[in-house]
Amino acid sequence: MVTEPVRILVVGGGYVGMYTALCLQRKLKPELKHGEVEIVVISPDPYMTYQPFLPEAAAGSISPRHVVVPLRRVLGACRVIVGEVRAIDHAKRTASFTTLATAEEGTGPLDIAYDELVLAPGSISRTLPVPGLADHGIGFKTVEEAIGLRNHVIEQMDIASSTRDPAVRDAALTFVFVGGGYAGVEALGELENMARYAARYYHNVKPEDMKWILVEASGRILPEVGEEMGKYTVSQLRKRNIDVRLETRLDSCEDRVAVLSDGARFPTRTVVWTAGVKPHPLLAATDLPLNERGRLKCTAELAVDGAPHAWAAGDAAAVPDVTAGEPGKECAPNAQHAVRQAKVLGENIAASLRKKPLQEYAHKYVGSVASLGLHKGVAHVYGRKLKGYPAWFMHRVYHLSRVPTVNRKSRVLAEWVLSGLFKREIVSLGSLEHPRAEFELAAGGERPKES
């Protein structure tokens, strides 16, 4: 009698999805070989984005293709489907998903049955109802957004260099970043550093002509590195003539004017939104238990509480922090926890299939590192505080050790070495965002309007 293989469905190809599938294909190698287990990964993208490298990709220190890890290459023992899961009925153990093919065929969502579910769709940008934000804001969560932002900044410098209108020039050289967490501070630091370097190749644009503004609603930035390092970061940014505004909100960016809660108004063509994330909407389209913040209620073993055969970790999961010594405290939804949770999650699923005991996820947060631009950074690791070049070097070493596969590590390291030996590239390839524009114009169409 032929029995059907146990199907493990992994929803999401980010940190948790990829690392969990990687662990499973290693731990369940005998079962996969004999056809007893099948691992299916459904992800909107055919790659995992290593998000800590996005600021360096935006600054041109790393090639965009080296910031991502191709899922099909890494997960050779898994079946990878590029698509989006729209709903999950765990009571029936089925998930509905769409692919590019279903969109072409007009057939609607497909259903896939599973035995074990790993829910790791990640998070999306947390936006607020700020007038004009949807029309003029730029995100910084994907590699496409990072490269688009790099192209945009260089294009604004081109506009400022060629215009005769002082108002247009001033707006082009004003860059507003909203959010003082990792994404906002690192993106601002790297791009300001890049633009400062690029200014030497413009005959009429100087670094002091540019306005870089960081807007943060709370009273501190980079809370992950501690209060002292956060204050040091503010002082370092201000020394670079970056306008850091704490306890300030963006009230509007309509008509390309950033209006702040402190009354300041900045005509600008660049508003970068990095003010936090929220759980993926897919979680609300399941019959699984959620907490008040919309995250999955999980046990310390990374199982969804009260839902057998469902597992979760990372941004989507509210995991108890067993190292905190405080009842009710949860692990922070950051990359450090996500990568470590994925390893425990993969081991626990394998143990569950083999009827072995599960282990709790217990990892004490060891600290954080942040880059503020080339040769600048802050770090608070194992109680030690580092500033400047040592912190920047630790930032690179740490993330090089964490990026998956020897292939990616080697390519990133090679690019860092080459960027240290040669001058930066300051080319804008904005036309990549509209690759058919020239042909459409030649065929009698119109150029796409500038966003």
Side-chain angles (χ1 to χ4, degrees):
M1 180 179 176
V2 179
T3 58
E4 289 291 319
V6 173
R7 177 177 289 160
I8 303 171
L9 177 62
V10 180
V11 178
Y15 287 119
V16 173
M18 193 201 76
Y19 280 107
T20 301
L22 198 60
C23 180
L24 284 170
Q25 74 174 12
R26 185 173 62 249
K27 290 286 181 181
L28 299 175
K29 196 171 182 179
E31 288 87 344
L32 287 165
K33 184 178 179 180
H34 295 107
E36 298 168 6
V37 169
E38 178 188 22
I39 304 171
V40 179
V41 179
I42 302 181
S43 170
D45 300 306
Y47 53 79
M48 185 274 274
T49 302
Y50 192 74
Q51 291 184 335
F53 280 160
L54 289 183
E56 292 206 48
S61 299
I62 301 177
S63 172
R65 67 184 184 278
H66 298 156
V67 178
V68 299
V69 180
L71 295 178
R72 296 186 194 279
R73 177 185 292 176
V74 176
L75 304 177
C78 303
R79 177 184 165 201
V80 177
I81 300 174
V82 177
E84 288 194 62
V85 174
R86 302 292 184 178
I88 293 173
D89 187 342
H90 189 63
K92 295 180 180 178
R93 307 275 180 90
T94 60
S96 298
F97 69 98
T98 56
T99 66
L100 293 175
T102 57
E104 284 286 324
E105 297 164 358
T107 55
L110 302 172
D111 287 339
I112 184 171
Y114 61 81
D115 298 288
E116 302 285 338
L117 173 68
V118 177
L119 200 47
S123 57
I124 62 172
S125 295
R126 177 174 59 85
T127 58
L128 299 175
V130 176
L133 183 62
D135 297 321
H136 305 299
I138 302 172
F140 198 79
K141 192 164 171 54
T142 67
V143 67
E144 293 87 357
E145 288 174 329
I147 303 310
L149 181 56
R150 168 187 169 80
N151 292 334
H152 175 82
V153 168
I154 296 175
E155 284 173 0
Q156 298 315 301
M157 296 178 72
D158 289 336
I159 290 170
S161 176
S162 56
T163 185
R164 295 183 180 180
D165 187 330
V168 171
R169 175 185 168 88
D170 184 58
L173 294 180
T174 301
F175 306 96
V176 179
F177 286 69
V178 183
Y182 272 127
V185 173
E186 290 195 331
L188 171 60
E190 291 284 354
L191 283 164
E192 188 274 340
N193 196 266
M194 183 271 292
R196 179 181 292 273
Y197 175 86
R200 69 181 66 182
Y201 298 104
Y202 291 81
H203 70 283
N204 59 350
V205 175
K206 299 177 182 177
E208 52 267 29
D209 296 336
M210 293 182 273
K211 296 177 187 172
W212 296 84
I213 302 155
L214 178 63
V215 179
E216 168 55 39
S218 70
R220 57 191 288 197
I221 65 173
L222 291 180
E224 299 90 349
V225 298
E227 187 173 357
E228 182 185 336
M229 291 292 97
K231 289 180 179 178
Y232 168 81
T233 302
V234 170
S235 68
Q236 291 301 303
L237 294 178
R238 285 174 174 165
K239 283 181 181 178
R240 290 159 61 178
N241 291 323
I242 296 172
D243 186 355
V244 181
R245 295 181 177 240
L246 303 177
E247 298 182 342
T248 307
R249 299 180 309 280
L250 176 69
D251 285 345
S252 170
C253 57
E254 284 185 307
D255 303 319
R256 293 190 181 275
V257 177
V259 180
L260 307 185
S261 59
D262 60 3
R265 296 170 62 90
F266 296 99
T268 179
R269 299 167 62 88
T270 309
V271 174
V272 183
W273 184 269
T274 63
V277 295
K278 63 182 179 181
H280 197 284
L282 170 63
L283 301 186
T286 72
D287 54 350
L288 298 170
L290 306 178
N291 69 1
E292 64 281 358
R293 295 185 180 180
R295 298 166 71 197
L296 292 163
K297 294 180 181 178
C298 291
T299 66
E301 291 82 13
L302 304 175
V304 176
D305 198 7
H309 307 287
W311 312 79
D315 291 349
V319 179
D321 187 351
V322 299
T323 65
E326 302 176 37
K329 186 164 184 182
E330 299 168 355
C331 296
N334 56 40
Q336 188 178 136
H337 280 300
V339 173
R340 288 172 169 83
Q341 285 173 357
K343 182 175 183 295
V344 175
L345 178 51
E347 291 174 349
N348 276 354
I349 294 173
S352 174
L353 294 178
R354 293 168 178 168
K355 310 299 182 186
K356 293 183 178 180
L358 308 183
Q359 60 176 307
E360 290 187 340
Y361 172 73
H363 170 71
K364 194 169 183 179
Y365 190 61
V366 297
S368 300
V369 290
S371 170
L372 305 179
L374 192 63
H375 300 161
K376 307 173 187 74
V378 290
H380 188 183
V381 183
Y382 291 113
R384 297 191 63 184
K385 300 169 185 176
L386 299 174
K387 306 172 183 176
Y389 185 89
W392 172 84
F393 183 76
M394 177 173 282
H395 174 271
R396 284 201 160 181
V397 169
Y398 173 78
H399 286 300
L400 186 65
S401 72
R402 293 300 170 187
V403 69
T405 78
V406 174
N407 181 303
R408 281 292 171 275
K409 293 181 196 294
S410 301
R411 290 176 182 271
V412 169
L413 182 59
E415 287 201 305
W416 281 343
V417 171
L418 290 173
S419 65
L421 297 174
F422 300 101
K423 294 181 179 180
R424 280 190 190 220
E425 293 290 348
I426 57 165
V427 177
S428 166
L429 296 176
S431 58
L432 289 175
E433 296 158 35
H434 305 286
R436 296 187 65 248
E438 286 298 327
F439 182 79
E440 288 176 355
L441 184 65
E446 297 181 357
R447 284 191 182 277
K449 294 181 181 179
E450 184 186 357
S451 59

